[in-house]
């Protein structure tokens, strides 16, 4: 059994412009932000929302861009 150490957690919320949380993912702090984005974007597709996605540079990856299209 391997042990993976991490220190803390990160919350990745998707909100409206008014700050209402529509979807979220809670991860360990050592998980890459871009790895979580497709899961969040897929939750919007299931809800049937049209979305404008804003995120910092940590979410900038080719997979995230392809998923958002």
């Amino acid at each position: 059994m391997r042990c993976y150490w991490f220190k803390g957690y990160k919350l990745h919320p998707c909100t409206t412009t008014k700050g209402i949380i529509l979807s979220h993912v809670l991860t360990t702090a050592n998980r890459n932000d871009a790895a979580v984005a497709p899961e969040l974007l897929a939750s919007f597709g299931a809800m049937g929302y049209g979305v404008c996605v804003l995120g910092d540079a940590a979410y900038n990856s080719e997979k995230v861009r392809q998923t958002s299209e």
Side-chain angles (χ1 to χ4, degrees):
M1 183 171 118
R2 293 185 84 156
C3 292
Y4 295 98
W5 293 94
F6 61 92
K7 187 173 184 175
Y9 296 90
K10 288 193 272 186
L11 179 63
H12 305 268
C14 284
T15 66
T16 65
T17 56
K18 302 285 185 188
I20 299 169
I21 296 175
L22 300 174
S23 178
H24 72 282
V25 175
L26 181 67
T27 65
T28 56
N30 62 346
R31 187 151 179 221
N32 184 314
D33 293 345
V36 177
E39 185 178 344
L40 289 170
L41 293 171
S43 68
F44 278 110
M47 290 184 221
Y49 289 116
V51 205
C52 175
V53 179
L54 300 175
D56 64 12
Y59 292 95
N60 188 15
S61 76
E62 184 62 30
K63 185 174 182 180
V64 172
R65 287 189 295 275
Q66 288 174 350
T67 304
S68 67
E69 290 176 3

